[in-house]
Coordinates of all heavy atoms in Angstrom, one line a residue:
R16 N 2.3 18.5 -5.1 CA 0.9 18.4 -5.5 C 0.1 17.6 -4.6 O 0.6 16.6 -3.9 CB 0.8 17.8 -6.9 CG 1.5 18.6 -8.0 CD 1.4 17.9 -9.4 NE 2.1 18.6 -10.4 CZ 2.2 18.2 -11.7 NH1 1.5 17.1 -12.0 NH2 2.9 18.9 -12.6
P17 N -1.2 17.9 -4.4 CA -2.1 17.0 -3.6 C -2.1 15.6 -4.1 O -2.0 15.3 -5.3 CB -3.5 17.7 -3.7 CG -3.2 19.0 -4.2 CD -1.9 19.0 -5.0
L18 N -2.2 14.7 -3.2 CA -2.1 13.3 -3.6 C -3.5 12.6 -3.5 O -4.2 12.9 -2.5 CB -1.1 12.5 -2.7 CG -0.8 11.1 -3.0 CD1 -0.2 11.0 -4.3 CD2 0.1 10.5 -1.9
D19 N -3.8 11.8 -4.4 CA -5.1 11.1 -4.4 C -5.0 10.0 -3.3 O -4.3 9.1 -3.3 CB -5.3 10.4 -5.8 CG -6.6 9.6 -5.8 OD1 -7.4 9.7 -4.8 OD2 -6.8 8.9 -6.8
R20 N -5.9 10.2 -2.3 CA -5.9 9.3 -1.2 C -7.0 8.3 -1.2 O -7.4 7.7 -0.2 CB -5.9 10.1 0.2 CG -4.6 10.9 0.4 CD -4.6 11.6 1.7 NE -3.4 12.3 1.9 CZ -2.3 11.9 2.5 NH1 -2.3 10.6 2.9 NH2 -1.2 12.6 2.7
S21 N -7.7 8.2 -2.4 CA -8.8 7.3 -2.5 C -8.2 5.9 -2.6 O -7.0 5.7 -2.8 CB -9.5 7.6 -3.8 OG -8.7 7.3 -4.9
P22 N -9.0 4.9 -2.3 CA -8.5 3.5 -2.4 C -7.9 3.2 -3.8 O -6.9 2.4 -3.8 CB -9.8 2.6 -2.2 CG -10.7 3.5 -1.4 CD -10.4 4.9 -1.9
E23 N -8.3 3.8 -4.8 CA -7.8 3.6 -6.1 C -6.4 4.3 -6.3 O -5.5 3.8 -7.0 CB -8.7 4.1 -7.2 CG -10.0 3.4 -7.4 CD -11.0 3.8 -6.3 OE1 -10.8 4.8 -5.6 OE2 -12.0 3.1 -6.1
G24 N -6.1 5.3 -5.6 CA -4.9 6.1 -5.7 C -3.9 5.8 -4.6 O -2.8 6.4 -4.7
A25 N -4.2 5.1 -3.6 CA -3.4 4.9 -2.5 C -2.5 3.6 -2.6 O -3.0 2.6 -2.9 CB -4.2 4.8 -1.2
A26 N -1.3 3.8 -2.3 CA -0.4 2.6 -2.2 C 0.8 3.1 -1.5 O 1.9 3.4 -2.0 CB 0.0 2.1 -3.6
W27 N 0.7 3.2 -0.2 CA 1.7 3.9 0.6 C 2.9 3.1 1.0 O 4.0 3.5 0.9 CB 1.1 4.4 1.9 CG -0.2 5.1 1.7 CD1 -1.4 4.7 2.2 CD2 -0.5 6.2 0.9 NE1 -2.4 5.6 1.7 CE2 -1.8 6.5 0.9 CE3 0.4 7.0 0.1 CZ2 -2.4 7.6 0.2 CZ3 -0.2 8.1 -0.6 CH2 -1.5 8.3 -0.5
A28 N 2.7 2.0 1.6 CA 3.7 1.3 2.3 C 4.6 0.5 1.5 O 4.3 0.0 0.4 CB 3.1 0.4 3.4
V29 N 5.8 0.4 2.0 CA 6.8 -0.6 1.5 C 6.1 -2.0 1.7 O 5.5 -2.2 2.8 CB 8.1 -0.6 2.3 CG1 9.0 -1.7 2.0 CG2 8.8 0.7 1.9
P30 N 6.1 -2.9 0.8 CA 5.4 -4.2 0.9 C 6.1 -5.0 1.9 O 7.3 -4.8 2.3 CB 5.5 -4.8 -0.5 CG 6.8 -4.2 -1.0 CD 6.8 -2.8 -0.5
A31 N 5.4 -6.0 2.5 CA 6.0 -7.0 3.4 C 7.1 -7.7 2.6 O 7.0 -8.0 1.5 CB 4.9 -8.0 3.8
G32 N 8.1 -8.0 3.3 CA 9.3 -8.6 2.7 C 9.1 -10.1 2.3 O 9.1 -10.4 1.1
R33 N 8.9 -11.0 3.2 CA 8.7 -12.4 2.9 C 7.2 -12.6 2.6 O 6.3 -11.9 3.1 CB 9.2 -13.3 4.0 CG 10.7 -13.3 4.2 CD 11.1 -14.2 5.4 NE 10.6 -15.5 5.1 CZ 10.4 -16.4 6.0 NH1 10.5 -16.1 7.3 NH2 10.0 -17.6 5.7
A34 N 7.0 -13.6 1.8 CA 5.6 -13.9 1.4 C 4.8 -14.4 2.6 O 5.2 -15.4 3.2 CB 5.6 -14.9 0.3
R35 N 3.7 -13.8 3.0 CA 2.9 -14.2 4.1 C 1.5 -14.3 3.6 O 0.5 -13.9 4.4 CB 3.0 -13.2 5.2 CG 4.4 -13.2 5.9 CD 4.7 -14.5 6.6 NE 6.0 -14.5 7.2 CZ 6.6 -15.5 7.9 NH1 5.9 -16.7 7.9 NH2 7.8 -15.4 8.4
A36 N 1.3 -14.9 2.5 CA -0.1 -15.0 2.0 C -1.0 -15.9 2.9 O -2.2 -15.7 3.0 CB -0.1 -15.6 0.6
S37 N -0.3 -16.8 3.6 CA -1.1 -17.6 4.5 C -1.6 -16.8 5.7 O -2.5 -17.3 6.4 CB -0.2 -18.8 5.0 OG 0.9 -18.3 5.7
Q38 N -1.2 -15.6 5.9 CA -1.6 -14.8 7.0 C -2.3 -13.5 6.5 O -2.1 -12.4 6.9 CB -0.4 -14.4 7.9 CG 0.3 -15.6 8.5 CD 1.5 -15.2 9.3 OE1 1.7 -14.0 9.7 NE2 2.5 -16.1 9.5
G39 N -3.0 -13.7 5.4 CA -3.8 -12.6 4.8 C -3.0 -11.6 3.9 O -3.4 -10.5 3.6

């Protein structure tokens, strides 16, 4: 099926592993 590529429907990537909140 077509995928919602809007900001609300997008969540593509595997998240960063270690916490890097200090770097955005």
Side-chain angles (χ1 to χ4, degrees):
R16 299 179 182 179
L18 187 64
D19 180 6
R20 295 180 179 272
S21 66
E23 293 79 14
W27 314 117
V29 169
R33 292 180 60 206
R35 293 292 181 185
S37 61
Q38 301 177 22

